[in-house]
Amino acid sequence: MNLARPIRFCLPLLLLVGFVAAMMWAKASDPFRLVEFSLKAASGKKVKGIAVLPKPVGKHPVVIYLHGAGGNLLGTGSELRQVAELGIAAVGLEYNQTNQSLFDEEFMALHQYLQRQAWAQSNATAWVGFSLGAQRTLSFALRHPELQPQLLIRRAGGWVEELNEQFKIQNSKTQDGEPAAHPSSFILHPSSPIRCPVLLIHGERDEVFPVADCKRLAERLRANGTPVEVRILPECGHVFGEDSGPVVRALAEYCAAKLPLTDYAGVVPGCRLTPTEARRFNLAMRRAGQQRRELWRAVTTSREPERHTVMNVIGGLEDYDLAHISAVQLEECVDLAWQARRKYPWCRDAPLEIFDKFVANPRIYEEPLGKPALPFVRGPAPRVKYCRDTGEASDAIGRWLYSRLRFRTAPAAPESAMADLIRQSGACREGAMMYTYLGRLAGLPMRPVYVIWPTLGSWHWYTEVWDTGEKQWHAVDSANQDRTYHTSWVLRVRKSTILPTTGERGGWNALDEQRWEAFTNSIGLFYPSGQVVVRVLDGEEPVKGQRVVTQAWLSNEVFSVLAARTDENGEARLTLGQTARHPYRLLIDRPGESDWQWLTVQSNQTYTVTLNMGDTKPFDKSTEPPAPEFSNKGETR
């Protein structure tokens, strides 16, 4: 039988199938979706446009980017993609380069088009123009005050003739009958349409539009109350040369920082996130960069109620996790958590917010997520099937763990928790992390806790468990095999702060950096403590956002135990354990000497301390602090 003829007919078909498959794969792999469109202006003329949408497609803020003279839509592809890489819809237009009135009609048609698109936030737009594009957009804004962007960026733009009309003399003479001043002193008419923030980017050696025009425009706009930022790039010409790419990237990042977030949550059918949860999720998707497609896969392949948890977990992930976690890993964590919630009462009755953060979340502390979870496990996992409540389930976890993990009392070596666990040994930190991990597998809401002992100058790790019967967190000394769930132990050693992880972004490396604000402080639940309000002033004015630090003194050394930042009223609120041997030192956190005070804290008392940015006090840590001043009332200083 001659096979040559069938093969001759099949080969082109195979090649065609292979080509189509390759094209489909390339389209699926492209991080962008291209939308080509055609608009009909009021004059009847058609104009072409293109939108570059980042995947996944949500409801995006929009950057309209217009090329310069002699440019075309095809030539703006690189700029549009740079903008879209940041999660923003980038739109280009093949606009009329010779007639401003025709351009106005085309630009008006573009805005009407954007208002009809499901992927566009038409009320969150930035107009970015280069050279002639900058001229056209500014002229349009001056001629059509009813249409305003949220941001106007001009790259290498110059003066426009409409400004001459706006700055014309309203009266040829002053009230005294004298001739009006030089035109450069005039400001815009109060009805000036430029109300949005303006960014002017200009090359110092621009040979088309002198840099003096850029500065002149900035002065005129500022005189009328328009917020204007100016960036003059030294040694750069009109097209910015080798700096053109970085300039486009910089203005794209500027737009991303100024425009609203892309609304990914809003396009999820039946989304149940609260407005706060939706913002957390949208912000995490922006931070994820190109990894957002992988995270979105976990969202779209899930169903409620698991999808709600997936989105909440994504919203609280650290940047490292957003960049590395896979959709499969995320879905597995959430599915296991929901299996436990449907099976065990201590999980089912926990508030959903606590469940999402402290059961379904794959992050315990700073362990590597991609490694095998239990490399030393030999035998069955902890059995909690017949446990009746939170306490019994927690003790079952402890018995299983203590039979397999040896604890040391010496301080932990500078090595990772995973390396310790592989060798089946560890200190209190490793024990708390492992206990927390196993507890979450069994559906127990748990979080590791770092506690500071001011009289010893040391620390300890343990675990807090959400008790559905008590409806609050319960402290378990998870690194001590002689202590069970109901052992009373918290009061045995003096404590200044109790710092559990929050289940939110920001805790990574916070302990080493002493960023105590990245933790929550639960000392008020378990230990006699008092409330402290620290008011920071600059003269008589309250200071917002100033960091205030609390220190403890021990043996000629001071160490930080808590920190907070002041609110709009210049107040930072702290909860501190009852003073032990020495008062706390409260100070303004800044380089060099600052204002500070000693404070004795008693249980159930509230204190007010005032610190001033203009005052400084010397401090000698080798001098022992004064004795605590206990009284029956809270002190105000």
Side-chain angles (χ1 to χ4, degrees):
M1 181 177 179
N2 188 0
L3 297 178
R5 186 165 182 167
I7 293 176
R8 192 164 55 247
F9 284 106
C10 290
L11 185 59
L13 181 60
L14 291 174
L15 292 175
L16 178 61
V17 171
F19 176 76
V20 172
M23 292 295 293
M24 293 178 64
W25 176 85
K27 184 176 181 180
S29 301
D30 192 342
F32 306 108
R33 172 187 164 196
L34 302 182
V35 178
E36 298 183 21
F37 56 88
S38 179
L39 305 174
K40 187 175 182 180
S43 62
K45 293 186 177 181
K46 291 186 177 182
V47 57
K48 293 181 179 180
I50 187 171
V52 180
L53 310 180
K55 296 180 182 178
V57 176
K59 198 168 184 65
H60 303 278
V62 179
V63 168
I64 301 174
Y65 185 90
L66 299 184
H67 55 74
N72 55 56
L73 195 59
L74 184 62
T76 61
S78 175
E79 288 86 351
L80 296 178
R81 292 175 76 91
Q82 284 194 68
V83 172
E85 283 177 356
L86 298 182
I88 302 173
V91 177
L93 190 68
E94 196 74 271
Y95 65 91
N96 189 294
Q97 300 185 25
T98 59
N99 188 298
Q100 179 68 43
S101 296
L102 293 178
F103 169 85
D104 290 357
E105 293 180 3
E106 296 167 349
F107 209 57
M108 194 82 71
L110 175 60
H111 278 271
Q112 294 170 356
Y113 169 81
L114 291 176
Q115 290 175 351
R116 300 192 300 268
Q117 304 311 305
W119 47 262
Q121 296 183 34
S122 58
N123 61 343
T125 60
W127 302 350
V128 181
F130 167 61
S131 192
L132 180 61
Q135 301 297 91
R136 290 284 184 257
T137 53
L138 179 58
S139 294
F140 181 91
L142 294 168
R143 292 155 66 107
H144 300 276
E146 72 280 6
L147 282 178
Q148 289 279 312
Q150 280 60 56
L151 186 62
L152 178 64
I153 299 180
R154 309 189 74 231
R155 177 186 168 206
W159 193 264
V160 295
E161 62 180 12
E162 285 81 4
L163 288 170
N164 296 327
E165 292 297 319
Q166 293 290 330
F167 286 99
K168 67 183 179 181
I169 302 174
Q170 300 300 318
N171 297 292
S172 59
K173 295 184 179 181
T174 65
Q175 294 180 354
D176 298 330
E178 297 296 325
H182 188 273
S184 63
S185 67
F186 297 144
I187 63 174
L188 283 168
H189 188 274
S191 63
S192 166
I194 307 297
R195 300 185 300 270
C196 66
V198 176
L199 173 64
L200 306 177
I201 305 175
H202 216 89
E204 185 180 42
R205 299 183 179 276
D206 193 317
E207 63 279 8
V208 178
F209 297 118
V211 70
D213 282 356
C214 174
K215 296 178 179 179
R216 178 185 173 204
L217 172 62
E219 291 176 1
R220 293 292 179 88
L221 294 177
R222 285 170 178 160
N224 200 59
T226 300
V228 180
E229 294 184 52
V230 180
R231 301 287 186 269
I232 305 297
L233 304 186
E235 305 300 325
C236 285
H238 185 66
V239 298
F240 298 96
E242 295 179 353
D243 293 326
S244 179
V247 167
V248 172
R249 179 68 181 191
L251 65 86
E253 292 177 351
Y254 186 88
C255 291
K258 297 292 184 180
L259 293 175
L261 294 170
T262 296
D263 186 7
Y264 294 102
V267 301
V268 177
C271 177
R272 302 177 183 177
L273 296 183
T274 66
T276 300
E277 291 171 340
R279 177 171 175 76
R280 287 172 63 250
F281 174 73
N282 291 335
L283 184 59
M285 291 292 285
R286 171 187 282 186
R287 300 197 320 269
Q290 294 187 4
Q291 180 73 358
R292 69 173 67 97
R293 297 177 64 193
E294 181 72 10
L295 300 175
W296 189 249
R297 190 175 295 114
V299 173
T300 56
T301 56
S302 301
R303 296 293 181 265
E304 295 293 349
E306 286 84 351
R307 183 172 61 194
H308 181 278
T309 299
V310 167
M311 297 173 73
N312 265 335
V313 169
I314 290 174
L317 288 178
E318 298 281 359
D319 290 355
Y320 177 88
D321 298 337
L322 290 174
H324 292 87
I325 196 169
S326 68
V328 171
Q329 186 178 6
L330 186 56
E331 289 179 80
E332 287 178 350
C333 289
V334 172
D335 287 344
L336 286 173
W338 270 95
Q339 289 177 29
R341 189 169 178 85
R342 294 183 175 102
K343 187 184 301 183
Y344 303 123
W346 52 80
C347 189
R348 181 175 58 250
D349 297 337
L352 188 59
E353 180 183 2
I354 289 177
F355 167 79
D356 289 345
K357 290 183 178 180
F358 301 109
V359 178
N361 196 330
R363 166 69 57 201
I364 303 297
Y365 184 54
E366 293 181 356
E367 74 283 359
L369 292 184
K371 302 297 183 182
L374 296 174
F376 64 91
V377 171
R378 297 178 182 86
R383 296 179 64 85
V384 296
K385 181 177 180 180
Y386 301 107
C387 297
R388 294 168 297 180
D389 57 26
T390 304
E392 290 185 5
S394 296
D395 285 343
I397 296 295
R399 287 191 298 272
W400 187 96
L401 178 62
Y402 303 144
S403 66
R404 289 164 172 79
L405 187 66
R406 297 190 301 273
F407 294 100
R408 59 171 180 259
T409 57
E415 53 197 22
S416 71
M418 187 62 67
D420 279 333
L421 294 175
I422 291 174
R423 289 197 300 275
Q424 305 180 44
S425 65
C428 60
R429 181 189 65 174
E430 289 72 39
M433 301 308 162
M434 200 67 250
Y435 186 90
T436 302
Y437 176 80
L438 292 172
R440 290 188 183 182
L441 285 181
L444 285 162
M446 291 187 174
R447 60 187 186 183
V449 181
Y450 180 82
V451 60
I452 299 176
W453 294 331
T455 56
L456 301 178
S458 59
W459 47 265
H460 180 56
W461 283 96
Y462 65 90
T463 303
E464 286 181 0
V465 186
W466 179 264
D467 191 303
T468 54
E470 300 173 359
K471 292 184 171 31
Q472 69 172 31
W473 293 100
H474 184 96
V476 179
D477 195 0
S478 50
N480 191 325
Q481 61 185 0
D482 297 325
R483 293 175 178 174
T484 66
Y485 184 84
H486 293 289
T487 299
S488 178
W489 62 276
V490 175
L491 299 179
R492 296 188 180 186
V493 181
R494 298 294 183 93
K495 297 170 176 62
S496 57
T497 48
I498 296 176
L499 303 173
T501 57
T502 64
E504 294 281 355
R505 171 181 179 249
W508 191 278
N509 210 41
L511 185 59
D512 290 341
E513 298 172 1
Q514 297 188 352
R515 287 187 290 107
W516 310 123
E517 322 80 301
F519 297 89
T520 189
N521 185 9
S522 62
I523 194 167
L525 292 175
F526 308 108
Y527 190 81
S529 55
Q531 305 295 318
V532 181
V533 178
V534 182
R535 184 178 297 117
V536 179
L537 303 176
D538 187 359
E540 297 297 327
E541 295 296 321
V543 179
K544 177 183 177 181
Q546 176 59 50
R547 192 170 189 257
V548 176
V549 175
T550 304
Q551 294 179 339
W553 184 94
L554 182 67
S555 301
N556 300 329
E557 293 294 337
V558 290
F559 52 94
S560 173
V561 298
L562 195 61
R565 291 190 180 274
T566 55
D567 58 18
E568 294 181 353
N569 298 319
E571 296 179 347
R573 301 181 181 276
L574 307 164
T575 304
L576 294 168
Q578 182 170 283
T579 295
R581 297 174 186 170
H582 306 288
Y584 292 105
R585 180 177 180 245
L586 302 172
L587 69 150
I588 297 173
D589 184 27
R590 64 180 182 183
E593 293 183 343
S594 63
D595 195 12
W596 60 271
Q597 288 190 30
W598 294 113
L599 178 67
T600 299
V601 175
Q602 291 180 254
S603 179
N604 297 322
Q605 300 295 331
T606 300
Y607 304 85
T608 301
V609 173
T610 300
L611 303 176
N612 204 299
M613 298 291 292
D615 297 338
T616 59
K617 293 170 62 175
F619 176 69
D620 182 4
K621 64 182 180 180
S622 64
T623 302
E624 185 171 349
E629 298 178 1
F630 293 106
S631 63
N632 294 326
K633 296 182 179 180
E635 302 174 3
T636 301
R637 300 185 179 184

